[in-house]
Amino acid sequence: MTIDLRASTDYEVLRAARVLARIDEVAREARVSYLVIGATARSLISIDLLGTSPQRQTKDVDVAAEVDSWEEFDSLVRNLDKHGRSAHKFIIEGTEVDVVPYGGIEQADRTIMWPDDQVMSVLGFREAVDSAQTVSRSE
């Protein structure tokens, strides 16, 4: 099933479309699959189903990237502009973007260990792929 947002003039959709166009470009180049997660995913689904954004909108975009190694993650994000000290925060089209890796780098408990020894749960990301919907924004 595809969510068709081509006719949308919603600010959230337009902002996300610009950001995700860049994410799509670097993901294709790195041959990495990704998934929009978090509040942006919720907003895109709400706009498709209800025709309007939720009252409380998010200022960032969250993406989960399926990678087999930290080298593959580095290949994905190497041409993105870092934001702050975190390895997963970037600025794309003026918007903060969190890129969270999952997949082959996961521990048995469904967490990842960042190179700075921070632990993050990625539970549910693999399952989300099974029910993900494609979003169409460009003609």
Side-chain angles (χ1 to χ4, degrees):
M1 179 179 205
T2 298
I3 297 174
D4 187 351
L5 300 173
R6 289 178 290 188
S8 180
T9 58
D10 185 278
Y11 171 78
E12 184 93 1
V13 171
L14 298 174
R15 181 178 59 85
R18 288 189 304 272
V19 169
L20 294 173
R22 178 69 177 129
I23 291 288
D24 196 62
E25 179 184 312
V26 298
R28 286 177 190 270
E29 184 178 300
R31 293 186 169 92
V32 169
S33 297
Y34 69 95
L35 183 70
V36 180
I37 58 174
T40 299
R42 177 207 63 203
S43 293
L44 295 176
I45 291 169
S46 293
I47 291 165
D48 180 54
L49 294 175
L50 306 173
T52 186
S53 293
Q55 288 288 346
R56 185 171 172 266
Q57 295 184 358
T58 183
K59 295 190 185 317
D60 71 344
V61 172
D62 301 311
V63 175
E66 185 175 8
V67 297
D68 291 324
S69 66
W70 284 107
E71 291 79 19
E72 191 173 18
F73 178 74
D74 290 340
S75 175
L76 171 68
V77 300
R78 75 171 173 251
N79 292 319
L80 298 178
D81 295 328
K82 284 254 195 225
H83 180 62
R85 297 179 142 205
S86 295
H88 69 285
K89 291 191 178 290
F90 304 90
I91 296 291
I92 300 174
E93 297 292 327
T95 298
E96 185 177 313
V97 177
D98 292 346
V99 180
V100 180
Y102 73 99
I105 61 169
E106 290 178 36
Q107 306 295 317
D109 65 355
R110 306 291 300 277
T111 62
I112 59 169
M113 172 93 60
W114 290 96
D116 65 0
D117 294 332
Q118 294 292 322
V119 176
M120 178 185 283
S121 175
V122 292
L123 184 64
F125 288 3
R126 284 187 271 163
E127 293 79 5
V129 170
D130 294 336
S131 62
Q133 297 180 28
T134 301
V135 176
S136 178
R137 174 62 187 129
S138 56
E139 299 296 325

